[in-house]
Amino acid sequence: MVVLDTVQPPHGPHRIVDGSSPTPSTPYWLLIIATHMTANALCVAVCLSRGRQCAPGFLRAALLLLGSGAAMAGVFWLCALSQLLGHAGAAPLQPFALALHGLLVAAALSVPGIHTARRTLTDLRDWWLVWPLWRDLVEVCPQVLLSPRRSSRLKENLWQHGPGRLLLYRKLMEIRDAILLLDKYVTPELLAQARAFAADRPRRRTRASAVVSSSADCHEAAVIAVVLKGARAACLATDCPSRDTVPIARIGADTLPGETAFLVEVACICRRAPTPLPHPPP
């Protein structure tokens, strides 16, 4: 392009005027149009093929938007080629194609940021909901804390230790560890009370229960909520764990989002569940 521009005599702005006198020359514009159309066609092909295969929905949407923007850029250069060949009818389409190209590319670039902001807000919401359960458990099992706790929920969020994206994950791990420690206070009587509560409990739809996979998972969440309240009360009442313990109910799910929703459901049920009277160890 530099060579083709240099060998031409002095000329004005580079432009195409209905194919009659393109500046600086026809080969110059053919090279530009061919380069852009090839690049845009490859971009569209890659975005469409990869966009259909991507598992994350936000990445699939971003690729499809980017491919659509590249297609609009291709339309712009097709109109330029039509002008170069002497057809002026496509000229009015160029501004609209270029405007759509800019909007679609801007939308594609904004998708990851919107997804990150939404995920951050979701994590903060789940952390806020699970915090009362975490507070009650670490009160009787302080050894599970990975970092010193703060005096309030707001301070715990503002003065955090480590990356913010790991705040919720750390709380979930500490809840998990506390559940394992309280397992030695779960008696058959406590488990029977928890199952009776879960069987008689009316189903209430919450934001967490909408993510929990089945009614059986919600039933297990109710069982664990009552078991944890009873085990916590037993731990506060006596330092001697029961010798007649039973394995605690199934905990969580196979994925982090599923387990997060499960523990949030447990935390929501804990706020309304009764506290069973601790049974003295045999």
Side-chain angles (χ1 to χ4, degrees):
M1 288 171 55
V2 174
V3 172
L4 290 174
D5 187 25
T6 305
V7 298
Q8 297 298 315
H11 51 270
H14 295 194
R15 61 180 182 173
I16 302 173
V17 183
D18 300 338
S20 57
S21 56
T23 307
S25 66
T26 298
Y28 175 88
W29 281 105
L30 285 175
L31 180 58
I32 289 181
I33 293 172
T35 301
H36 279 278
M37 289 186 64
T38 301
N40 287 320
L42 288 174
C43 182
V44 170
V46 171
C47 289
L48 291 179
S49 63
R50 297 297 181 181
R52 290 194 297 264
Q53 300 172 6
C54 289
F58 79 95
L59 184 56
R60 182 165 57 252
L63 287 174
L64 293 178
L65 286 171
L66 182 60
S68 301
M72 289 299 101
V75 171
F76 173 86
W77 289 108
L78 277 176
C79 294
L81 179 61
S82 177
Q83 281 187 282
L84 188 65
L85 297 177
H87 305 287
L93 295 177
Q94 283 186 294
F96 296 101
L98 196 60
L100 284 175
H101 164 73
L103 289 174
L104 290 169
V105 171
L109 295 176
S110 67
V111 167
I114 294 174
H115 170 74
T116 301
R118 179 182 178 184
R119 184 178 60 183
T120 301
L121 292 176
T122 300
D123 288 347
L124 289 175
R125 182 203 66 192
D126 292 340
W127 176 87
W128 188 265
L129 293 174
V130 86
W131 188 85
L133 175 64
W134 171 86
R135 176 200 58 200
D136 293 342
L137 294 182
V138 300
E139 182 181 355
V140 295
C141 301
Q143 62 269 39
V144 304
L145 288 172
L146 299 176
S147 61
R149 61 173 299 187
R150 301 291 178 174
S151 57
S152 69
R153 192 186 316 195
L154 184 59
K155 290 182 178 180
E156 186 71 30
N157 190 17
L158 294 178
W159 288 277
Q160 50 187 292
H161 299 269
R165 61 187 177 86
L166 298 180
L167 179 63
L168 175 63
Y169 183 62
R170 187 170 68 242
K171 292 292 180 288
L172 297 179
M173 288 193 299
E174 292 169 347
I175 290 174
R176 274 280 206 166
D177 293 340
I179 291 175
L180 295 176
L181 290 177
L182 291 176
D183 183 67
K184 57 188 176 182
Y185 294 95
V186 180
T187 62
E189 295 81 7
L190 174 58
L191 188 58
Q193 292 184 49
R195 288 174 176 169
F197 168 80
D200 298 337
R201 171 180 170 267
R203 176 74 183 275
R204 297 184 181 181
R205 185 173 179 82
T206 63
R207 286 178 292 184
S209 63
V211 182
V212 175
S213 59
S214 65
S215 59
D217 293 330
C218 293
H219 177 83
E220 293 294 343
V223 172
I224 290 180
V226 177
V227 163
L228 290 179
K229 295 194 77 169
R232 179 179 179 274
C235 182
L236 292 174
T238 177
D239 293 331
C240 300
S242 173
R243 298 188 185 95
D244 186 17
T245 60
V246 294
I248 202 167
R250 184 176 62 85
I251 304 174
D254 297 329
T255 62
L256 182 58
E259 184 176 353
T260 302
F262 183 82
L263 290 178
V264 168
E265 178 75 0
V266 171
C268 294
I269 296 174
C270 273
R271 294 200 300 266
R272 301 183 298 268
T275 302
L277 295 176
H279 294 271

